[in-house]
Amino acid sequence: MSISPPPGSRRAALGGVGHGRGTAGRDESALKAANAQAPDIPDLWHRVAALFSPYRTQLGLTAVLVVVTASAGVIPPLIIERIFDDALFPEGAAAPNLSLLVELVGIIIAIFLAVAALGVWQTYVTASVGNRVTGDLRTRLFDKLQSMDLAFFTRTKTGVIQSRLQNDVGGVSGVLTTFVSSIVGNSVTVLASLVAMILLDWRLTLIAVVLMPALVMVQRRVGQIRARLAARTQESLSEMTAITQETLSVSGILLSKVYNRQRLESQRYGAENDNQIDLQVRLSMSGQWFFGLVTVIMSSVPAVIYLAAGVLIARAADQGAEPAITAGTVVAFTAIQARLLFPLMALMRVALEVQTSRALFARIFEYLDLQPAIVDAADARDAADGPGPLGRVEFRDVTFRYPDAAADAVPTLDGVSFVAEPGKTVAFVGPSGAGKTTVVYLAARLHEASSGAVLFAGSDVRELTHESIVEKVGVVSQETYLFHASIAENLRYAKPGATDEELVEACRDANIHDQIQRFEHGYDTVVGERGYRLSGGEKQRIAIARVLLKDPPVLLLDEATSALDTVSERIVQVALDRASKGRTTLVVAHRLSTIVDADVIHVVEGGRIVESGTAAELGAAGGLFARLKAEQRD
């Protein structure tokens, strides 16, 4: 057998970051309006500039290329002045100076060729730097999200997170890619053009630039409007991504079909899509009248220059003086002024884009500035170095509240204490919402205790590295997650270097090997998104095999069989019993029949352990355990 190796709510109840439980009663439009407000990030533009720090050399080369090409672009109009005055219409000559004309035309063509070649090089360097900076930003954001604690993801829509990674980073990629070359290149072009225009005639220059300060002030106002629209547009995109993720996942589409809500979901998406269309149109049109005005003004300048030149020439003639302006000067001046139009508009557009992208950068850095609730202490040590035996789990008067819970809210766990010795099975039972699953998450330090202490191998988990704890813990939950990949790839997620033989051994112990062999492609069978091509029992047994490959000393079972039918439950339970041998096992169970052999059972109610003992002892005590057992028997 050859196994392929691995390759390299709804809306009112779920808010964005910082909007956890308790937002269901808030007005949704108010919530969206609050989300659309870009956060205030200190030194935002300094931090954006710092993104380019690893690429100083490439930026320096880009700046040189941009300055050279932008400066060289102003030279041809100056040569045109000589072409008109000295080559085509030389003073005192009846015919053009062809030799000088050929020489000057050749120089212009050579400059254009050089500028074009340097422009290609500049585009390559600029695109490389911009896209690498964008990639770095996307990777940093993904790494930050990977480091966040579990509570962050329980209170934040998956679609909102995806939107930050895709829409927000994608929205600033254009600015990151073209910002340096556009700012430097167009600035140099504008400055060089202004200098050349002043050298040609300072009076015509004043006429050409008299309206620029007013245009800059109007441009700033337009940028502020676009920035607000951009923030609202990104919030709408985030909402659309969330709707897509919710409704087009396998679970979401199944839910909408069985409840016949496809039309409702389409209407919900369509309403947000209409909002997005309206915002995109408004964003596209904002400032268009401004640029139209700029185009009219700048395009009209040559006609005004001709008029002004005519007046100056006529005045000189009336005074009997030599005209200070020649035909070559006028042609060269208008040529340079024409070159001023597009760089000036480009600078204004870049300024608008930068103002527009401020909201996106702020949203990105807001996530980059998130601090995980669970971080390693500076002197944290490996769990294997603890003073107690590896596999020993202890709770000492542990109280837990979710981070977004009100200060006066009843805690999820309140004063919980117990000890699970190595190799023993400790079960937790009780009514739904009693806090049983929270015990499991605290044991693996996926949550942090609000007070009290959770000990692992004799050490407070806050004194250990989180990575070393997780390495020693295996989890099988009620909702098994499998990637859209082959069975072998899903198994090797626990142990990337696992051999085919190790996969087979783990699957035999999990009672799934024979079933896998019946599949047409065996271990290379693709399980589908979230494993939907497999039955519930098959998915659970693959999850058990994945844990067995990891071979942890502590096993956490969170209602691993509660969603299965009786036959599947029996098969999976056999696999779980095998997996538990020799391991400390914490079991959260709904069906009491699955934990009758546990070494100790803790009955949890209202966040407290109200009973403890073996199944026989608790059954005889006539307390909550006995009542739960009677209810299941009935």
Side-chain angles (χ1 to χ4, degrees):
M1 176 189 63
S2 175
I3 302 174
S4 300
S9 155
R10 304 308 278 172
R11 307 190 331 182
L14 295 172
V17 178
H19 301 286
R21 299 184 306 173
T23 62
R26 294 185 58 182
D27 178 71
E28 185 177 349
S29 61
L31 181 60
K32 290 174 65 175
N35 286 340
Q37 298 298 318
D40 183 20
I41 305 297
D43 300 322
L44 177 63
W45 294 119
H46 176 76
R47 296 181 65 181
V48 173
L51 297 173
F52 292 88
S53 296
Y55 306 99
R56 292 188 183 92
T57 302
Q58 295 93 322
L59 284 177
L61 176 60
T62 299
V64 171
L65 291 172
V66 167
V67 170
V68 170
T69 54
S71 301
V74 181
I75 297 176
L78 298 177
I79 297 176
I80 289 174
E81 182 184 25
R82 287 204 61 197
I83 289 177
F84 268 78
D85 293 343
D86 299 337
L88 287 175
F89 310 106
E91 186 176 357
N97 186 340
L98 292 181
S99 60
L100 179 59
L101 182 61
V102 170
E103 179 183 346
L104 294 176
V105 170
I107 292 174
I108 289 178
I109 293 174
I111 291 174
F112 285 147
L113 288 174
V115 168
L118 292 175
V120 172
W121 189 9
Q122 171 208 318
T123 300
Y124 169 74
V125 177
T126 302
S128 297
V129 172
N131 283 288
R132 288 184 183 279
V133 171
T134 302
D136 292 345
L137 186 60
R138 188 179 290 113
T139 300
R140 282 180 58 190
L141 187 54
F142 186 84
D143 290 344
K144 170 59 72 172
L145 290 168
Q146 285 286 320
S147 72
M148 292 305 295
D149 53 285
L150 185 62
F152 169 79
F153 297 95
T154 61
R155 67 176 183 264
T156 309
K157 286 183 179 180
T158 303
V160 170
I161 296 173
Q162 291 175 343
S163 182
R164 296 285 172 115
L165 273 171
Q166 298 170 8
N167 298 333
D168 290 4
V169 176
V172 301
S173 62
V175 174
L176 293 175
T177 302
T178 62
F179 178 77
V180 174
S181 61
S182 183
I183 288 291
V184 176
N186 290 312
S187 296
V188 171
T189 299
V190 169
L191 289 175
S193 297
L194 289 174
V195 170
M197 290 163 64
I198 292 172
L199 292 175
L200 288 170
D201 193 283
W202 64 270
R203 295 165 298 181
L204 297 181
T205 303
L206 287 177
I207 296 172
V209 301
V210 67
L211 291 177
M212 283 188 182
L215 293 177
V216 171
M217 293 179 63
V218 175
Q219 171 266 327
R220 183 175 182 181
R221 173 59 180 166
V222 173
Q224 293 171 346
I225 296 173
R226 285 178 60 86
R228 288 194 293 269
L229 283 173
R232 293 176 59 189
T233 301
Q234 290 305 118
E235 175 60 25
S236 176
L237 278 174
S238 175
E239 186 67 19
M240 289 183 69
T241 303
I243 294 173
T244 302
Q245 191 275 334
E246 286 179 356
T247 58
L248 295 186
S249 64
V250 175
S251 299
I253 202 68
L254 180 61
L255 184 66
S256 67
K257 285 184 177 295
V258 297
Y259 282 96
N260 196 25
R261 291 294 182 268
Q262 297 99 314
R263 182 174 298 176
L264 176 64
E265 296 298 346
S266 294
Q267 291 172 350
R268 190 161 72 103
Y269 185 85
E272 192 60 49
N273 187 49
D274 289 341
N275 182 43
Q276 176 65 203
I277 291 171
D278 178 64
L279 288 170
Q280 289 285 3
V281 171
R282 292 172 62 187
L283 185 61
S284 299
M285 291 306 298
S286 62
Q288 290 306 307
W289 58 268
F290 166 70
F291 285 112
L293 178 63
V294 172
T295 302
V296 169
I297 292 174
M298 297 300 291
S299 298
S300 301
V301 167
V304 177
I305 294 301
Y306 294 146
L307 177 61
V311 170
L312 292 173
I313 293 172
R315 182 177 299 174
D318 291 341
Q319 296 173 354
E322 287 290 328
I325 301 175
T326 64
T329 300
V330 174
V331 172
F333 191 95
T334 54
I336 294 176
Q337 187 275 328
R339 283 184 54 81
L340 186 65
L341 171 61
F342 294 107
L344 186 61
M345 290 189 64
L347 280 176
M348 291 183 176
R349 286 190 182 276
V350 168
L352 282 180
E353 290 302 322
V354 169
Q355 286 180 275
T356 302
S357 65
R358 184 191 181 284
L360 307 187
F361 277 118
R363 283 161 56 90
I364 292 169
F365 280 106
E366 180 189 26
Y367 263 34
L368 289 175
D369 291 342
L370 290 173
Q371 294 300 318
I374 299 175
V375 294
D376 291 339
D379 57 348
R381 61 181 182 275
D382 193 286
D385 299 329
L390 194 61
R392 190 175 194 270
V393 177
E394 181 180 358
F395 277 43
R396 292 180 181 173
D397 196 25
V398 170
T399 296
F400 174 77
R401 286 185 176 86
Y402 283 95
D404 54 349
D408 56 350
V410 176
T412 304
L413 292 181
D414 187 9
V416 172
S417 299
F418 70 87
V419 176
E421 297 292 350
K424 299 297 183 179
T425 297
V426 177
F428 298 87
V429 300
S432 296
K436 305 183 295 298
T437 296
T438 303
V439 172
V440 171
Y441 287 159
L442 285 168
R445 209 191 175 196
L446 297 176
H447 288 314
E448 194 85 283
S450 303
S451 64
V454 178
L455 280 70
F456 193 96
S459 297
D460 191 315
V461 292
R462 290 167 289 199
E463 300 173 357
L464 305 176
T465 63
H466 185 252
E467 182 177 338
S468 68
I469 297 174
V470 173
E471 282 297 320
K472 305 296 188 297
V473 172
V475 180
V476 180
S477 64
Q478 177 182 350
E479 297 183 7
T480 296
Y481 191 93
L482 298 179
F483 297 103
H484 186 73
S486 69
I487 293 174
E489 289 166 352
N490 273 283
L491 291 170
R492 285 196 173 100
Y493 192 75
K495 187 178 180 181
T499 64
D500 292 356
E501 290 72 21
E502 287 176 313
L503 298 191
V504 171
E505 181 181 357
C507 289
R508 287 188 188 279
D509 289 340
N511 282 342
I512 191 61
H513 172 71
D514 292 340
Q515 182 61 43
I516 293 174
Q517 290 294 80
R518 295 189 187 99
F519 297 147
E520 181 180 357
H521 300 291
Y523 282 80
D524 293 328
T525 300
V526 176
V527 301
E529 184 177 355
R530 299 181 65 89
Y532 266 88
R533 295 181 62 185
L534 304 178
S535 70
E538 290 166 347
K539 287 194 294 184
Q540 286 296 74
R541 282 178 282 163
I542 288 176
I544 295 168
R546 187 162 58 187
V547 167
L548 290 174
L549 272 175
K550 186 178 181 181
D551 194 22
V554 176
L555 186 60
L556 308 177
L557 306 178
D558 182 16
E559 301 199 64
T561 63
S562 62
L564 304 179
D565 59 78
T566 304
V567 175
S568 296
E569 178 188 23
R570 189 179 302 114
I571 297 173
V572 171
Q573 190 60 50
V574 171
L576 289 173
D577 291 341
R578 289 180 184 174
S580 300
K581 287 183 179 179
R583 295 182 172 88
T584 305
T585 305
L586 303 187
V587 185
V588 174
H590 173 71
R591 295 175 183 170
L592 304 185
S593 59
T594 62
I595 47 89
V596 292
D597 295 326
D599 295 291
V600 62
I601 300 172
H602 297 297
V603 184
V604 183
E605 184 179 31
R608 292 176 173 273
I609 293 178
V610 295
E611 295 179 322
S612 297
T614 64
E617 292 169 348
L618 293 173
L624 178 57
F625 181 87
R627 294 198 300 273
L628 293 172
K629 186 176 181 180
E631 290 173 3
Q632 293 187 11
R633 186 168 54 246
D634 294 342

